[in-house]
Amino acid sequence: MKEHRGTGTREIVKLGNLLLIHCAVLWISSLGVLSMDAEEKKIIRDQIIEMFDHAYGSYMKFAYPADELMPLSCRGRVRGLEPSRGDIDDAMGKFSLTLIDTLDTLVVLNKLDAFEEAVKKVVEEVRVDNDVVVSVFETNIRVLGGLLGGHVMAVMLQNKIQRMQWYKDELLHLAKDLGYRLLPAFNTTSGLPYPRVNLRYGVHNPYSRTGTESDTCTACAGTMILEFAALSRLTGDSVFEDHARRALDVLWDKRQKGSDLVGTVINIHSGDWIRRDSGVGAGIDSYYEYLLKAYVLLGDSIYLQRFNTHYAAIMKYVSQPPLLMSVHMHKPTVNVRGWMDSLLAFFPGLQVLRGDLKPAIETHEMLYQVTKQHNFLPEAFTTDFAVHWAQHPLRPEFAESTYFLYKATRDPYYLKVGKSIVDSLNNHARVSCGFAAVQDVRTGRHEDRMDSFFLAEMFKYLYLLFSEKRDVPLDIDDYVFTTEAHLLPLSLSTVGTSCMENATAMYSSGNEHEIFAHLCPSEQALFPNNPAYAQTIRGRYKNLLKSETVPSSPFSGITLPLHDNGLQSLEILKSMGITLIPMKDGVFHFASSNKAESSMKGVYTLKLIAELTQTPSGEEQGITPLSVQIVSPPFLGRVVLTAGPAQFGLDLTNEEHGVKGSLAKSIPLSACSKISNPEELQGKIAIAQRGDCMFAAKARNLQTAGVLGIIIIDNTEDSCSEDTPIFQMVGDDGGTNDITVPLVFLFSKEGKILLEAIEEHQNVDVLLAVKSKQYGQEEREDKLFQELSFHIQLTDEADVKENRADSFGRMTAVSFETHVTSSPANSGVPEKSGLSSDVDQEPEQV
């Protein structure tokens, strides 16, 4: 008996070994499908270089010395000569922004001749003392960072290959000059910097045209330490690092002590939080990034302590795998919105740097699924992955995280992701004069902009993704990437000393025993280069954006969506073993083709819901659309412009007849400072432009001038309500009860119609009202759904072929229901009112 048992055991072991070998072969084969050999990587790498040459060459040919390229117009964007885009233009300071931002990218891509030529142009032709108001944040990360990155690369080439021996630290001297011009922004009570500064006149100067702002974003104040500390340590002047560190101390001290989270907007004088929503996207993102990277670059453990404390809070409240939501900093279990912005795509890369690979893989996979659906990552998308803001300004954050995940895992899957980015850029963003931002990912419509970060970051990360060490003229592991992907050397940690005293005491997060929380682990131990690890995690989210799997057990009903061609629903039905056969008179026949599912035969109800309108509506977001109706001659109410509401001010949904008045333009148009034409605005509806300050600040300035109402026009070129979700203006987090006038928001195309009307006619009267309460209009239905209910019987395909009248008749007995949905004027929640027509008679025999 023992012998027999032993023989059986050996056979089982052999069988188990065969199964293991078989599984291993299948696993290796699956990797082979994804794997990419050196020649394939070289082809893509060469393609990336060609794309960079097209973009950079177009800038140098058509735009230089302008700050940016307008790729559709094939000319440079010069501030003051082109229509204002509001705060987007604050990145431009007439200092050849794109050239400076691209300097170290030229070195990474091995374009050393072009780099040397570019450095000479900057040294000989660029000035940083222009009379222009710029963003402190953008100028720091793009221009100061670009100058420092260029300097570091020039010195590296001098020492490594004895090139550029003529270079005598000119870029560093220019960076120091710029640094001193940014320092006046830190002259505040708290030490948090003003958001803007005049490069020539500073802040508190009669000619500065700035210094009236009271708020800044957390990232704006907290993303200075890398560049400023590098400048201090390269020049020996500690003033820059001291100011940047003080700003970080204030943000740390002002965190919510219960949740360890920070808000999005803070008052630079009092330190009070203006916006208390907390996430890892726009407004906060790089604050967290710079805490961790400051520790890596400078070696000061206080930054790591603070980062780990914040990170624990993020993973507790903000991270809701695979989503990264925004929560209230004082009530962190409460989500403050149902959408995410694209800037959070950097966070998986930061998690790789921190050593937390699993959530990085999860969030990245979610982002990839969204990207595959729209070719690019929309500027914002909802928790069910619908487009919230449709723009895509060629942001690099997703490529950044893709690069770091590949570097950590060596999983060829991320090469496939990178190739998809390259293909999307070539197929959907490439134009004759460079690459154009996408105004709407749903339609593919372009926008006439190519931001400098596209050259500074996108091509750097894509090239490194498909490169080996021998393909890059420097050891990339000796450098830290700034948030603009500029390269600062790790050797700076040994230059100078860190401040030994801190404005805040050491703080314990309670996570001292968490692995890797307070040390730099071995890369081999942390990232074992096992692609199967990432593959297992990703598998859970592979079908994240697809319709839910229909259960195979008996059911009483299914609800399926119908899209443009209904193919998605047909595929779902097919996967269930149900065949849809069109008959005469529009009747459909359902039949089961799966013999194994015969036990499911019976009569069931199948609902197909078709959304008949495609334009995003305010009701989808819980927002009641408003309108601006021109009621004066010669328009007489025939021109109606769709408008968005504000979360503060007079609620127009409670005004039965709306608010009517004559139009007048605010001076200044931004309405961010004292209004200089209050006599013209008194008792009228004022027009102002978005940008430069918060909506609430504009409202207070205009209300003081005695306006009857306010229309804010978007500063994004060609934005339009037809293909963009309704925009709702947000106040300053509960402190807007003093604002009593109504505000509405118009996209730029609608706003242009209004401005043209003012130019042509002296007096223009408008009505601000809920869209369904327009003058002379009946209540309108903005949303239409049609619901069809089918009572069906599942049967075998053979029954269909035999045309069995008994089962065929029962199967095609159909009940139709049509529901029309409209939104009442006083509610953002759709209500259903329906008409139904049941068809129970026996269908015509075929």
Side-chain angles (χ1 to χ4, degrees):
M1 292 294 294
K2 291 182 180 180
E3 180 62 25
H4 287 299
R5 284 198 298 269
T7 302
T9 301
R10 284 195 296 271
E11 292 303 319
I12 291 172
V13 170
K14 287 180 181 179
L15 180 61
N17 289 336
L18 287 173
L19 288 173
L20 287 173
I21 293 171
H22 179 65
C23 291
V25 169
L26 289 176
W27 177 70
I28 293 171
S29 299
S30 68
L31 288 181
V33 174
L34 290 175
S35 63
M36 192 175 291
D37 59 31
E39 183 59 30
E40 290 175 296
K41 292 173 69 174
K42 182 181 184 303
I43 291 173
I44 299 175
R45 191 165 63 247
D46 291 344
Q47 186 181 11
I48 293 167
I49 292 175
E50 186 279 328
M51 293 165 63
F52 172 83
D53 288 341
H54 178 62
Y56 179 69
S58 294
Y59 166 74
M60 295 304 295
K61 179 178 180 180
F62 299 110
Y64 180 82
D67 284 315
E68 289 181 353
L69 169 68
M70 299 172 66
L72 301 182
S73 304
C74 296
R75 68 174 188 268
R77 184 182 295 279
V78 179
R79 192 169 177 182
L81 298 184
E82 300 293 335
S84 173
R85 300 176 298 169
D87 52 7
I88 296 177
D89 287 342
D90 288 345
M92 301 193 300
K94 299 180 180 179
F95 36 35
S96 300
L97 171 64
T98 298
L99 180 64
I100 292 176
D101 217 3
T102 310
L103 287 176
D104 53 5
T105 302
L106 289 165
V107 177
V108 171
L109 271 62
N110 242 320
K111 295 187 170 294
L112 304 186
D113 291 338
F115 171 70
E116 186 166 358
E117 182 181 350
V119 171
K120 288 180 178 178
K121 282 186 177 295
V122 172
V123 170
E124 296 170 2
E125 302 173 16
V126 171
R127 298 173 61 94
V128 295
D129 62 348
N130 303 308
D131 179 13
V132 60
V133 176
V134 297
S135 161
V136 174
F137 167 77
E138 297 289 357
T139 304
N140 174 63
I141 66 172
R142 298 201 206 187
V143 186
L144 183 58
L147 291 171
L148 292 173
H151 166 72
V152 168
M153 293 296 100
V155 172
M156 181 274 296
L157 292 175
Q158 282 184 331
N159 296 333
K160 189 173 182 180
I161 59 175
Q162 287 72 53
R163 185 162 184 157
M164 294 181 66
Q165 295 302 316
W166 59 267
Y167 178 72
K168 304 299 180 185
D169 296 344
E170 288 90 345
L171 294 180
L172 181 60
H173 298 322
L174 192 60
K176 186 175 182 180
D177 183 12
L178 179 61
Y180 278 122
R181 295 180 184 279
L182 295 179
L183 280 181
F186 290 84
N187 187 19
T188 62
T189 306
S190 66
L192 297 172
Y194 281 96
R196 296 173 184 83
V197 67
N198 186 300
L199 291 176
R200 180 174 296 175
Y201 297 111
V203 175
H204 299 298
N205 185 296
Y207 301 104
S208 66
R209 304 187 306 282
T210 189
T212 59
E213 306 93 337
S214 59
D215 309 327
T216 193
C217 72
T218 301
C220 299
T223 310
M224 307 292 292
I225 187 64
L226 294 190
E227 293 83 0
F228 269 41
L231 183 59
S232 283
R233 298 187 183 207
L234 289 171
T235 62
D237 190 341
S238 65
V239 64
F240 306 107
E241 185 171 355
D242 291 344
H243 278 82
R245 181 163 189 144
R246 182 185 175 195
L248 283 178
D249 289 342
V250 174
L251 292 173
W252 170 253
D253 187 55
K254 295 297 181 180
R255 77 191 185 284
Q256 211 290 319
K257 303 302 194 295
S259 66
D260 286 320
L261 295 172
V262 292
T264 304
V265 176
I266 191 170
N267 185 288
I268 58 177
H269 302 297
S270 67
D272 295 334
W273 291 107
I274 305 303
R275 281 183 51 191
R276 296 179 175 87
D277 48 313
S278 184
V280 295
I284 301 181
D285 48 3
S286 49
Y287 162 65
Y288 294 134
E289 177 185 4
Y290 270 38
L291 282 178
L292 180 56
K293 290 184 177 180
Y295 166 68
V296 176
L297 181 68
L298 307 175
D300 192 333
S301 61
I302 190 67
Y303 297 121
L304 180 62
Q305 270 196 322
R306 293 177 181 180
F307 173 80
N308 280 331
T309 301
H310 284 314
Y311 187 75
I314 291 168
M315 298 310 293
K316 183 176 181 180
Y317 302 115
V318 175
S319 178
Q320 300 169 31
L323 310 180
L324 291 167
M325 301 303 297
S326 290
V327 300
H328 195 290
M329 62 183 291
H330 292 94
K331 302 174 183 176
T333 58
V334 177
N335 290 348
V336 297
R337 62 178 68 101
W339 50 269
M340 297 164 279
D341 67 77
S342 64
L343 285 171
L344 60 77
F346 91 99
F347 198 68
L350 188 66
Q351 289 179 305
V352 171
L353 183 62
R354 199 263 178 185
D356 202 356
L357 208 53
K358 181 176 179 291
I361 293 169
E362 292 173 330
T363 298
H364 180 275
E365 182 61 22
M366 177 270 291
L367 295 170
Y368 182 43
Q369 297 295 328
V370 176
T371 300
K372 286 197 295 183
Q373 190 174 41
H374 302 292
N375 296 316
F376 299 104
L377 200 60
E379 195 73 332
F381 52 93
T382 63
T383 53
D384 56 357
F385 312 114
V387 172
H388 184 70
W389 295 335
Q391 301 93 335
H392 175 75
L394 305 181
R395 292 201 186 278
E397 285 78 13
F398 180 64
E400 174 186 355
S401 286
T402 302
Y403 163 67
F404 284 114
L405 274 168
Y406 177 68
K407 190 174 176 65
T409 65
R410 291 293 166 182
D411 187 342
Y413 177 83
Y414 296 109
L415 296 178
K416 171 190 169 186
V417 176
K419 185 179 185 304
S420 74
I421 298 173
V422 172
D423 291 341
S424 290
L425 289 171
N426 263 327
N427 296 334
H428 304 289
R430 187 170 184 140
V431 294
S432 60
C433 296
F435 290 81
V438 179
Q439 178 67 36
D440 192 322
V441 297
R442 296 163 300 193
T443 64
R445 184 159 54 94
H446 287 138
E447 185 178 356
D448 202 4
R449 63 184 285 197
M450 188 181 82
D451 291 82
S452 66
F453 54 67
F454 182 60
L455 288 166
E457 300 183 68
M458 181 70 82
F459 289 108
K460 195 175 287 164
Y461 288 125
L462 288 177
Y463 182 82
L464 290 172
L465 176 62
F466 291 96
S467 297
E468 304 298 335
K469 283 198 171 186
R470 62 179 177 273
D471 301 316
V472 184
L474 65 151
D475 188 346
I476 207 70
D477 293 331
D478 290 339
Y479 299 85
V480 170
F481 289 92
T482 69
T483 194
E484 191 77 2
H486 293 306
L487 299 172
L488 298 177
L490 292 173
S491 58
L492 288 177
S493 62
T494 62
V495 178
T497 57
S498 299
C499 303
M500 299 306 295
E501 296 181 0
N502 297 289
T504 54
M506 300 284 281
Y507 179 80
S508 173
S509 66
N511 294 316
E512 287 84 354
H513 301 296
E514 183 183 348
I515 190 169
F516 306 140
H518 293 275
L519 50 88
C520 288
S522 163
E523 183 177 325
Q524 286 71 33
L526 184 59
F527 307 134
N529 288 342
N530 181 2
Y533 175 71
Q535 188 176 6
T536 302
I537 297 171
R538 283 196 310 269
R540 305 168 196 166
Y541 303 100
K542 186 170 60 176
N543 299 314
L544 193 63
L545 270 63
K546 296 181 181 178
S547 298
E548 293 182 5
T549 304
V550 178
S552 58
S553 58
F555 52 90
S556 59
I558 324 168
T559 300
L560 301 174
L562 276 180
H563 296 284
D564 294 342
N565 52 18
L567 288 179
Q568 183 174 345
S569 296
L570 297 183
E571 289 301 316
I572 296 172
L573 291 172
K574 186 176 179 181
S575 70
M576 295 165 53
I578 299 175
T579 303
L580 180 68
I581 304 174
M583 310 298 290
K584 62 167 64 177
D585 300 326
V587 176
F588 290 91
H589 175 79
F590 295 84
S592 172
S593 59
N594 192 339
K595 305 286 185 181
E597 293 178 355
S598 59
S599 61
M600 291 176 58
K601 290 181 180 180
V603 178
Y604 303 98
T605 299
L606 177 69
K607 291 182 179 179
L608 302 179
I609 301 176
E611 184 178 334
L612 301 183
T613 56
Q614 299 300 315
T615 303
S617 70
E619 287 85 352
E620 286 179 312
Q621 311 165 67
I623 301 172
T624 301
L626 305 179
S627 66
V628 177
Q629 185 177 23
I630 308 180
V631 296
S632 55
F635 306 98
L636 299 176
R638 289 188 294 269
V639 176
V640 181
L641 309 173
T642 300
Q647 290 183 354
F648 55 94
L650 181 68
D651 186 357
L652 288 171
T653 62
N654 296 326
E655 299 297 311
E656 184 176 356
H657 303 293
V659 173
K660 182 180 176 182
S662 300
L663 292 178
K665 288 198 291 186
S666 168
I667 301 177
L669 192 58
S670 68
C672 288
S673 56
K674 185 177 179 180
I675 306 301
S676 60
N677 62 333
E679 298 84 5
E680 297 177 30
L681 297 180
Q682 181 74 35
K684 295 184 179 180
I685 294 177
I687 293 178
Q689 188 178 53
R690 182 183 184 183
D692 295 340
C693 63
M694 297 188 72
F695 293 118
K698 298 176 190 287
R700 291 188 180 98
N701 291 333
L702 291 168
Q703 182 172 278
T704 301
V707 301
L708 186 65
I710 302 170
I711 299 173
I712 305 292
I713 296 178
D714 194 14
N715 55 5
T716 301
E717 290 183 43
D718 297 326
S719 61
C720 178
S721 64
E722 290 183 359
D723 49 22
T724 307
I726 296 293
F727 182 86
Q728 186 175 39
M729 294 178 284
V730 180
D732 45 15
D733 203 33
T736 53
N737 292 334
D738 58 314
I739 301 173
T740 57
V741 295
L743 292 88
V744 301
F745 180 89
L746 288 180
F747 288 109
S748 60
K749 279 193 174 181
E750 286 82 358
K752 185 178 180 182
I753 294 172
L754 211 59
L755 293 173
E756 289 175 350
I758 295 176
E759 293 297 324
E760 289 187 35
H761 308 280
Q762 291 184 347
N763 297 311
V764 178
D765 295 337
V766 297
L767 174 70
L768 310 182
V770 174
K771 195 173 182 183
S772 59
K773 294 182 179 180
Q774 302 157 18
Y775 173 76
Q777 299 283 334
E778 297 297 329
E779 187 167 328
R780 302 171 61 182
E781 290 128 4
D782 295 312
K783 192 77 178 173
L784 180 64
F785 285 89
Q786 188 175 66
E787 183 178 291
L788 306 177
S789 294
F790 295 86
H791 297 293
I792 67 170
Q793 175 172 329
L794 301 185
T795 185
D796 292 334
E797 192 171 359
D799 293 338
V800 180
K801 294 178 180 179
E802 295 176 14
N803 292 328
R804 294 184 182 176
D806 55 340
S807 61
F808 184 66
R810 288 195 300 274
M811 278 188 297
T812 55
V814 181
S815 171
F816 294 95
E817 281 188 306
T818 302
H819 292 275
V820 179
T821 302
S822 64
S823 291
N826 60 351
S827 173
V829 182
E831 285 187 357
K832 287 188 176 182
S833 58
L835 297 172
S836 64
S837 175
D838 292 330
V839 183
D840 294 323
Q841 68 270 23
E842 196 75 2
E844 181 178 347
Q845 295 294 321
V846 180

